[in-house]
Amino acid sequence: MNTVKNIFARIWALWALVAFVVTFLLIFLPAMVSYLIKDKRKAQVYFIFISKLWMDIWLPLAGCPVKVMGKNNFEKGKTYIVVFNHNALLDVPLSAPYVPGPSKTIAKASFAKVPLFGWFYSKGSILVDRDKETSRIKSYEEMKRVLALGIHMSIYPEGTRNRTAEPLKQFYDGAFKLAVDTKKDIIPCVIVGTKKAMPVHKAFYLLPVRLKMTFLPPVSASQITAKELKEKVFNLMKDYYVQNN
């Protein structure tokens, strides 16, 4: 039975990859129009609109439609730092497109080198090379500028995919220090289903699974240290994930 399942999952992964490439090529030129829009916030609003349209098409084709809950926790006119749990590569196309309003994601600089896709990826991201301190400092300052423009920042505080048996990896400090420094509230977002659809220890593997994203109520970054904020958000996300996974 496991052999059949593994064969199916790899065939399905191939189908999803083909669908990803074909749909990407369809939305590529419309997405690139965002580079022509001078107002950075309006450019990101447009870019996210195209990105969400793409995911609304591709995710059902891949057998992984997503249900998004808790969007009412975003107060109109406010800018947030949105933090996500991270179990699979499948989390990545979910993070920015389904955040209400314009947003950017902190992301690996290496992916920007992929032909064509790199241009799209760069528009939706603040790029960072985690091995270089100068790059980390530059990206941190860029995140501050993005937030000041009224654009949400999407961050994976676990840093990389969770390969442990625990619900969440321990969080890094960056997102929470940024929240305290900029006085921007944090909205935790818990993604459920991607771990089953794309197990981190299996290569080129995808199962059709219904995904869920839940935006939890905002957590204030006022009158709290970055360490305390990190622990508070970690516990909120861990409890929700355990109860709803």
Side-chain angles (χ1 to χ4, degrees):
M1 186 65 181
N2 281 339
T3 301
V4 173
K5 184 178 180 180
N6 287 337
I7 292 171
F8 170 79
R10 286 171 172 84
I11 293 172
W12 193 256
L14 178 61
W15 153 247
L17 178 60
V18 171
F20 184 90
V21 172
V22 171
T23 53
F24 170 71
L25 292 174
L26 290 174
I27 62 90
F28 177 71
L29 287 179
M32 291 302 97
V33 171
S34 60
Y35 278 100
L36 303 177
I37 302 172
K38 292 183 179 180
D39 184 301
K40 291 184 178 180
R41 189 178 187 280
K42 289 181 179 178
Q44 209 60 25
V45 168
Y46 173 80
F47 178 81
I48 291 298
F49 170 77
I50 298 295
S51 300
K52 183 177 181 297
L53 180 63
W54 178 25
M55 288 300 103
D56 284 345
I57 295 169
W58 179 70
L59 286 168
L61 286 175
C64 297
V66 61
K67 181 178 181 181
V68 183
M69 297 172 288
K71 290 191 287 186
N72 58 302
N73 286 315
F74 287 78
E75 184 179 329
K76 190 175 180 179
K78 288 192 71 172
T79 307
Y80 297 93
I81 296 167
V82 189
V83 296
F84 300 81
N85 60 311
H86 193 15
N87 283 318
L89 287 175
L90 194 55
D91 299 321
V92 177
L94 298 176
S95 53
Y98 291 101
V99 171
S103 62
K104 282 203 170 192
T105 305
I106 186 75
K108 292 180 180 179
S110 56
F111 282 114
K113 298 176 183 179
V114 179
L116 290 185
F117 182 74
W119 292 344
F120 180 92
Y121 183 83
S122 297
K123 187 62 180 175
S125 310
I126 291 175
L127 302 175
V128 60
D129 183 343
R130 293 191 180 94
D131 295 329
K132 295 181 180 178
E133 185 177 359
T134 53
S135 179
R136 294 198 302 270
I137 293 171
K138 183 180 177 181
S139 65
Y140 189 81
E141 294 304 315
E142 182 62 22
M143 285 191 286
K144 286 183 180 178
R145 287 191 285 270
V146 164
L147 289 166
L149 288 170
I151 299 171
H152 305 304
M153 273 306 311
S154 298
I155 300 174
Y156 295 103
E158 292 168 287
T160 58
R161 287 171 289 168
N162 181 9
R163 296 177 180 273
T164 74
E166 296 298 318
L168 300 175
K169 283 176 58 183
Q170 288 300 312
F171 288 171
Y172 287 99
D173 296 336
F176 310 97
K177 184 177 184 299
L178 180 66
V180 171
D181 287 350
T182 59
K183 301 296 188 289
K184 300 293 183 184
D185 291 351
I186 283 186
I187 288 191
C189 182
V190 179
I191 301 174
V192 175
T194 56
K195 188 173 187 176
K196 181 179 178 182
M198 191 178 281
V200 71
H201 297 296
K202 294 191 177 184
F204 203 74
Y205 185 104
L206 179 67
L207 291 172
V209 174
R210 290 186 176 274
L211 310 177
K212 290 183 181 179
M213 288 177 65
T214 305
F215 296 106
L216 304 181
V219 180
S220 175
S222 299
Q223 298 181 332
I224 192 171
T225 66
K227 182 179 179 181
E228 290 168 339
L229 182 60
K230 179 177 71 171
E231 291 175 356
K232 185 174 184 179
V233 172
F234 179 89
N235 289 329
L236 284 170
M237 293 178 69
K238 180 180 178 181
D239 290 346
Y240 189 89
Y241 185 86
V242 169
Q243 292 168 14
N244 292 274
N245 189 28

